[in-house]
Structures are given as structure tokens and as C-alpha cells.
Amino acid sequence: MAEWSATVGKRKCSQDRQVDEKPVRKKGLSLCSTRCGIAFTTHMCNFITAAQCTVLNITMLAMVNSTDHRFQFNDSTKGPPGDSFGGPNNAPDSLPAGVLVYNWSPQIQGIIFSSLSYGLIPMLLLSGYLAGRVGTKRVVAVSLFATSLFTMFTPLAAELGLVSFIATRIAQSIGQGSVLGGQHALWEKWGPPHERSRLCSISLSGMILGTFTIILLGGMICQNLGWPFAFYILGGIGCVYCLLWFVLVYDDPISHPWINITEREYIITSLADQIHVSPCKQPLPIKAMLRSLPLWYICVCGFGHQWLMITLMLYTPTYINSVFNINMRDNGFLSALPFLIAWVTGILGGQLADFLLTKNFRLVTVRKVRKAATFLGNFPSSALLVVLPYITPSYITTMTLLILSCGLSSFCHSGIYINVLDIAPRHSSFLMGATRGFIFIAAILTPTVNGFLLDQDPEFGWRNVFLLLFAINLSGLITYLIFGEAVIQDWAKERKLTRL
């Protein structure tokens, strides 16, 4: 017991800095390093996954005949829609002849958008646990291949009817959730504490770049080839990338065959104070996790931020079309521009966060950096959207506000989304999936609620959508700013008793 007390006391002292007392030579994060290569490989995986998830946001403008808001179950016509592309006279030049067009109301469209989250939420929880047990490499590869196949089958499912279309989207969401939840276990073993912000930002920014790319190119694909080809192309790319993932990604530095020995020792030494491997796997402290208030603060704040991001990703093309009534090619360019800025700021935010942490790597610094990044990613972004319905529509003002809102929102990648790695590094693979599962409840509620608001009040619908977004986002942000923590929780520490 005396040995156990000494061990606990030593770790309590070292926790004040979240780094080991023994000197560790801090190597710069080089682009040629293996861990940076893992981050860029995961970046491309997120790029493909986000593109497959977001493609419907732009193709919906080509799939729906907006001139008829009366919903007819499984009703479709051949030919281009009317008002969505600059009026009936411009429609024949906007889309190829013979593509299917469906009569789905805004409320039905909201249900379709939200269906991609039905399977995503439980799989975020399960995949994080599986990745910690069987390895991230297998979980992500199988899941990416499955979601790519369902993406390719989406046009056929839409042609068969609304029920089959929604069922395919739900099946696709299962693979999407496994990809997003399973990958976080990588940084438990690959990410030194003072580099996690950069590595996670590089990885997660792939989702923003994927959103930007598919919205930008999706309009041109729909206009020149037809909307089904957007799903065919993305599904094929995902299937091919699975092979590259199997070759390049390994679950930890020890099993990687090509890593430099110096880098391997550096990573292992950097993580030695946070992750201690026990002879036997200890059970997850589920009850303690459910009672952990810092964990709930992360979930509540993340829920509000996800409501913001889902609104931006799903409804930016629709909002621009409702304000300016332009063709799909121009709509795709304008809708994609905010996400390009968000991709840049997301990576720069991770660089800034790690720079501040390396200067004074203490708990108070970690907490301040996480809260500052979370504030920048929430409050200005949601406040700028509230202003949109009250200004005179113009290309310059509307796009400026959308670019600033979307660009600042990426700072959260260095805030709440990796705060779990600070408070519970030993259970990060499970908790990253669990917290994401709670956060992504917003992905179900946001399109459903927004679709209802837009359908019920065409005149003030956008104003109501943005005001509700601001209220939800602000309430979660205030909670996190007051009560958020960065200290390793008691239930996340290793407790190893020595036999008397």
C-alpha cells in the first residue's frame, strides 16, 4: 500500500503539467514524419466520407422540382426542375435531359437529410469501443468500403421509392459512424500531448475540405452529367481508397514497419505519462463517466456547435438559391467558398493551439486554449448568421457573412472536439465515439426542425432557423466556458494496487 501511495502521489504531481518529469526532446512536427503521414491519410479518409455525406446537399437542388411543394409519395418525373435554376426558360440548359426529378416538400427533404444520422449515432459509440479492441485500421477500412458501396447504390434506391431511398441512407450512416468514431483511437497511441491539436486538426479538416470540394464540383457534375454521377464517382473513389488505407495506416507506432526508430521512441516516451499499459484490460468505468460533469459539458457544447455546422453544410446551397435564384454551377461555387476558408482556419487553429501549449504546457494553459478556441468557433459564427435575414441581400454582404461564420467555426476542432483527450486519455477511443454520438443527435434534429420551420413559415422561415440556432449554440457555449475542465479525471487514472 505504501508503494501504491507513492505511485499515486508521483502521478498527481506529474499531472500538473500533463507531461512526464523526465526530459523529452520535443521534435518539430515534420511533414515527413510518420505520424504526420497518418494524419494526412486520415485527412483524406475524412475528405471522402464528408463528400459522400454532403453530396446530397447540392444534388437535392437537381433532384427536387421546387415548383410543386405538394408531396406525392414516390412520385417522380423525367426532366429538369423549374424555378430552382433560374426559371423555366433556363431549365433545359441547366441539366441533362432524362434525369429523374422528385416532388419532395421542404419537410420531406429535412427527413431525408436527417436519415443519414439514424445509424451514425449508435455506431459512433460502438465503433470507438471496437477500434480500441480490434484496431482502428480494420474498423475504418471495412466501414469506408461499406459506405462507399451504399453511396453508389443511392440513385437506384431513389428510383425505387422514398422508403428504399431513406433505408439506403440509414445503411450508409452506419458505415459513416464507424469511420468517424473508429479513427479517434489512433491519436491515443500516435499523438504526443503537445501535438494533438495539430494532428487532430489536420485529420478533421478533411471533412471540411470534402464538403467544399463536392459542393464546388457537385453543381458542375449535376449540370453536365446528371446528379446520379455524383454518387457514382464518390462511391468509386471510396472503394479504391480502402486499399491505400490498408497499406499506409497502422494502429500504433510499435506495429508500423517503416517508422523511424527515433520517432517511435519519441512518441512512446511522450505518451508514457498519460497511457500506462496494464497486464490485464480494466473494465470501462461507465457509471463514473455518466456522472462526470466535465464530460457532459463537452457533450452539451458540442451539440450546439454541431447544430451550427449541420445548418451550414445542409442549407448553405438552399439559402443561396432562395436569395439569388442562380444556376447550379454558380450556386456550387458560392456555397463552397465558405468551406474553403473553414479548411484553412481549421488547420491554422490547430497550429496556434499547439504553439500556445508548448510555450507553457500546464493545465491552466490547456483549459484556456480549449475555451478560447471553442468561443471563436461558436459565438461569432452563430451571431453572424442571425444578421443574414435582416440585411438587404447582395452577393458581397451575404457571402462575407457566410465565409466568416463558416471559417471561424473550424476553431472548435482545437477546442471541445479533442478535450476528451485531456480529461481521459486512457479511455479516449471509447469516449470520443460516445461524445460524438451524443453530439450527432443534432444531425437528426437539425434538418427535421429546420425543414418544418421553412415549410410552415415561408416568409420568416430563415429568420426562425437562425434565431433557434443562436439560442442553442449560445446556451451550450456558456455552460462549457463556465464549467469546462482540462484536468485528467479521477476515474480516468490508472489504479494499480500492489499485493501486500
Side-chain angles (χ1 to χ4, degrees):
M1 293 300 294
E3 181 181 346
W4 177 81
S5 300
T7 303
V8 173
K10 180 180 179 181
R11 288 181 186 163
K12 182 177 180 181
C13 180
S14 64
Q15 183 185 344
D16 292 337
R17 293 183 302 278
Q18 285 200 9
V19 292
D20 204 352
E21 288 288 350
K22 57 185 178 182
V24 178
R25 187 167 59 94
K26 295 183 179 180
K27 296 175 56 179
L29 184 59
S30 170
L31 293 177
C32 299
S33 63
T34 304
R35 60 191 184 278
C36 193
I38 295 290
F40 279 111
T41 305
T42 312
H43 174 95
M44 290 306 301
C45 178
N46 287 329
F47 175 94
I48 296 171
T49 304
Q52 293 175 351
C53 178
T54 313
V55 62
L56 187 66
N57 304 354
I58 189 69
T59 59
M60 183 64 78
L61 300 178
M63 297 172 67
V64 174
N65 184 355
S66 62
T67 60
D68 185 4
H69 292 291
R70 296 170 297 175
F71 170 63
Q72 300 177 19
F73 191 81
N74 195 29
D75 186 27
S76 64
T77 59
K78 283 193 175 182
D83 292 349
S84 296
F85 307 99
N89 295 331
N90 297 332
D93 297 330
S94 299
L95 292 175
V99 295
L100 291 176
V101 180
Y102 302 94
N103 295 321
W104 295 333
S105 67
Q107 188 170 359
I108 295 300
Q109 294 175 42
I111 295 174
I112 294 173
F113 282 137
S114 65
S115 64
L116 192 61
S117 303
Y118 295 157
L120 187 145
I121 292 176
M123 288 310 299
L124 281 171
L125 175 62
L126 181 60
S127 62
Y129 177 79
L130 289 177
R133 294 291 178 176
V134 304
T136 302
K137 180 174 184 175
R138 298 176 183 176
V139 172
V140 174
V142 173
S143 303
L144 180 60
F145 183 76
T147 188
S148 299
L149 285 181
F150 284 114
T151 300
M152 296 177 66
F153 291 145
T154 298
L156 176 61
E159 187 175 351
L160 293 176
L162 182 63
V163 175
S164 63
F165 183 50
I166 292 179
T168 302
R169 296 271 294 172
I170 295 175
Q172 181 184 353
S173 70
I174 295 176
Q176 294 268 340
S178 300
V179 173
L180 297 177
Q183 65 180 263
H184 295 298
L186 283 174
W187 308 122
E188 178 182 337
K189 301 176 181 178
W190 277 99
H194 65 279
E195 295 179 358
R196 282 175 179 165
S197 295
R198 279 175 286 178
L199 292 171
C200 289
S201 295
I202 292 173
S203 173
L204 293 175
S205 63
M207 301 178 66
I208 301 175
L209 185 61
T211 302
F212 159 77
T213 304
I214 193 56
I215 291 180
L216 176 64
L217 300 180
M220 291 185 284
I221 294 174
C222 293
Q223 186 170 333
N224 297 308
L225 301 176
W227 63 262
F229 280 89
F231 295 95
Y232 299 150
I233 293 172
L234 287 176
I237 293 175
C239 292
V240 173
Y241 190 77
C242 291
L243 301 177
L244 188 61
W245 176 272
F246 261 116
V247 174
L248 297 179
V249 174
Y250 289 83
D251 293 323
D252 53 63
I254 298 177
S255 61
H256 200 289
W258 309 310
I259 188 174
N260 183 277
I261 297 178
T262 304
E263 183 181 1
R264 177 189 297 154
E265 294 299 326
Y266 167 70
I267 295 174
I268 294 174
T269 305
S270 300
L271 298 174
D273 186 61
Q274 289 200 346
I275 301 175
H276 302 272
V277 181
S278 301
C280 58
K281 289 187 177 295
Q282 300 177 0
L284 291 171
I286 300 295
K287 293 183 179 179
M289 291 177 180
L290 292 176
R291 293 194 297 263
S292 176
L293 292 180
L295 195 60
W296 280 107
Y297 301 145
I298 294 173
C299 292
V300 172
C301 185
F303 178 89
H305 181 261
Q306 193 63 30
W307 194 288
L308 166 69
M309 291 304 301
I310 292 297
T311 301
L312 285 171
M313 288 191 295
L314 293 184
Y315 288 99
T316 296
T318 305
Y319 179 77
I320 291 177
N321 184 71
S322 67
V323 174
F324 301 119
N325 196 26
I326 56 180
N327 60 49
M328 287 203 65
R329 181 187 59 192
D330 296 337
N331 191 318
F333 173 77
L334 293 177
S335 301
L337 187 58
F339 295 98
L340 176 62
I341 306 302
W343 175 68
V344 175
T345 57
I347 295 178
L348 293 179
Q351 296 284 337
L352 178 60
D354 276 343
F355 173 78
L356 295 175
L357 294 179
T358 53
K359 292 302 180 182
N360 187 12
F361 197 56
R362 297 179 182 275
L363 285 176
V364 63
T365 306
V366 176
R367 186 161 49 244
K368 287 181 178 179
V369 170
R370 296 287 183 254
K371 289 185 177 181
T374 302
F375 176 83
L376 289 176
N378 280 273
F379 181 77
S381 299
S382 56
L384 290 171
L385 291 180
V386 174
V387 179
L388 275 175
Y390 297 97
I391 63 175
T392 303
S394 69
Y395 285 108
I396 296 178
T397 55
T398 300
M399 293 311 304
T400 299
L401 293 179
L402 287 175
I403 288 172
L404 290 174
S405 177
C406 195
L408 292 173
S409 66
S410 296
F411 280 103
C412 275
H413 291 167
S414 304
I416 52 174
Y417 288 112
I418 60 174
N419 200 178
V420 171
L421 295 173
D422 300 322
I423 67 173
R426 293 186 63 250
H427 305 295
S428 59
S429 59
F430 172 78
L431 288 177
M432 289 292 276
T435 54
R436 283 274 178 150
F438 181 90
I439 290 171
F440 267 87
I441 295 177
I444 294 179
L445 298 178
T446 304
T448 304
V449 174
N450 289 349
F452 175 79
L453 294 175
L454 294 174
D455 197 38
Q456 295 297 317
D457 193 347
E459 183 178 359
F460 299 105
W462 288 112
R463 183 196 63 182
N464 298 334
V465 166
F466 294 142
L467 285 175
L468 177 62
L469 180 154
F470 181 76
I472 294 175
N473 193 279
L474 185 61
S475 59
L477 175 63
I478 292 175
T479 302
Y480 178 77
L481 292 179
I482 296 176
F483 302 108
E485 292 289 344
V487 60
I488 298 179
Q489 302 298 292
D490 291 336
W491 48 267
K493 301 174 186 176
E494 183 185 15
R495 306 266 185 189
K496 185 189 296 184
L497 293 175
T498 303
R499 292 183 179 179
L500 295 176

